[in-house]
């Protein structure tokens, strides 16, 4: 191999290393594109404002969102001043029949299967830094304010299945919120 060719290869390799190490986004195996300046996030408590209230739903949802971030990124979860903030409320919790079973003897029809639906309103704010200071210009702040809804179908009595259904729905909701914030879908 000639010295010229070796020099060109090494120079090309050096340039590629410089380009890849200066990228402003970190890529992860989760499909997320997390800005390099996003080191901390504040996940505020999601209060349950739904008409039907399950006492543990707020705590379970808030912790599920924190766990989703903690388990798939290296972002630190803090209270107070952070690079980004998740806030919001649980706005819907409903149970509705999705199929009806026929009965005999003049009895009222009963639900053959039902659907548990949870709706969460989420506000995400990602602050931009300029010269090491957080900007207060609203046009320079990345954010969204959206509602996310997921459901799970079940048959039989809700009491014995409710906590498992809530955990499944929370997993779906936190996945949607995570993807919206970090994967830009």
């Amino acid at each position: 191999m000639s010295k010229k060719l070796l020099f060109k290869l090494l120079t090309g390799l050096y340039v590629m290393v410089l380009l890849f190490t200066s990228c402003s986004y970190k890529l992860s195996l989760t499909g997320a594109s997390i800005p390099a300046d996003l080191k901390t996030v504040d996940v505020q408590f999601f209060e349950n404002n739904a008409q039907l209230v399950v006492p543990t739903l707020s705590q379970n949802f808030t912790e599920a969102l924190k766990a989703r971030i903690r388990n798939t990124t290296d972002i630190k979860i803090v209270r107070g001043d952070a690079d980004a903030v998740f806030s919001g409320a649980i706005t819907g919790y409903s149970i509705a029949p999705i199929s009806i079973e026929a009965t005999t003897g003049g009895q009222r029809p009963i639900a053959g299967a039902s659907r548990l639906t949870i709706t969460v309103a989420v506000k995400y704010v990602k602050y931009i830094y300029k010269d090491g200071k957080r900007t207060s210009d609203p046009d320079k702040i990345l954010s969204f304010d959206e509602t996310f809804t997921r459901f799970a179908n079940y048959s039989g009595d809700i009491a014995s299945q409710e906590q498992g259904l809530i955990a499944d729905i929370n997993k779906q909701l936190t996945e949607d919120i995570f993807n919206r914030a970090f994967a830009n879908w």
Side-chain angles (χ1 to χ4, degrees):
M1 186 181 294
S2 73
K3 288 183 179 182
K4 259 187 175 179
L5 183 60
L6 182 61
F7 177 75
K8 286 181 181 180
L9 285 173
L10 289 175
T11 303
L13 182 62
Y14 178 73
V15 169
M16 287 177 51
V17 168
L18 283 178
L19 286 174
F20 286 118
T21 58
S22 65
C23 290
S24 63
Y25 283 88
K26 296 181 283 185
L27 298 177
S28 70
L29 295 176
T30 63
S33 296
I34 300 170
D37 63 341
L38 183 58
K39 306 283 187 217
T40 59
V41 67
D42 180 6
V43 179
Q44 297 179 353
F45 186 74
F46 282 73
E47 188 175 326
N48 190 345
N49 295 332
Q51 288 183 338
L52 288 176
V53 176
V54 175
T56 59
L57 184 58
S58 291
Q59 184 69 32
N60 289 347
F61 175 78
T62 303
E63 291 305 316
L65 183 55
K66 287 179 182 179
R68 176 68 172 98
I69 294 166
R70 193 178 292 122
N71 293 339
T72 55
T73 71
D74 59 355
I75 300 171
K76 290 185 177 41
I77 297 180
V78 298
R79 292 186 141 263
D81 195 26
D83 300 327
V85 177
F86 284 98
S87 61
I90 297 165
T91 58
Y93 184 93
S94 63
I95 299 169
I98 56 171
S99 70
I100 305 297
E101 286 184 5
T103 58
T104 59
Q107 295 176 338
R108 296 176 60 189
I110 58 172
S114 298
R115 174 172 290 167
L116 172 60
T117 304
I118 299 176
T119 302
V120 181
V122 179
K123 182 173 183 180
Y124 171 75
V125 177
K126 193 313 193 164
Y127 297 100
I128 307 268
Y129 290 84
K130 186 173 182 172
D131 300 325
K133 293 185 180 184
R134 189 160 80 179
T135 184
S136 59
D137 182 357
D139 294 334
K140 304 271 192 239
I141 297 174
L142 303 173
S143 64
F144 65 82
D145 193 352
E146 294 180 22
T147 300
F148 298 85
T149 300
R150 285 297 189 147
F151 63 86
N153 297 333
Y154 67 95
S155 56
D157 183 34
I158 183 74
S160 63
Q161 304 174 66
E162 190 171 31
Q163 291 306 311
L165 293 168
I166 289 172
D168 290 344
I169 295 170
N170 280 346
K171 184 176 181 180
Q172 295 171 30
L173 286 168
T174 57
E175 182 74 17
D176 290 348
I177 295 163
F178 180 90
N179 287 339
R180 177 63 178 94
F182 301 123
N184 296 322
W185 56 271

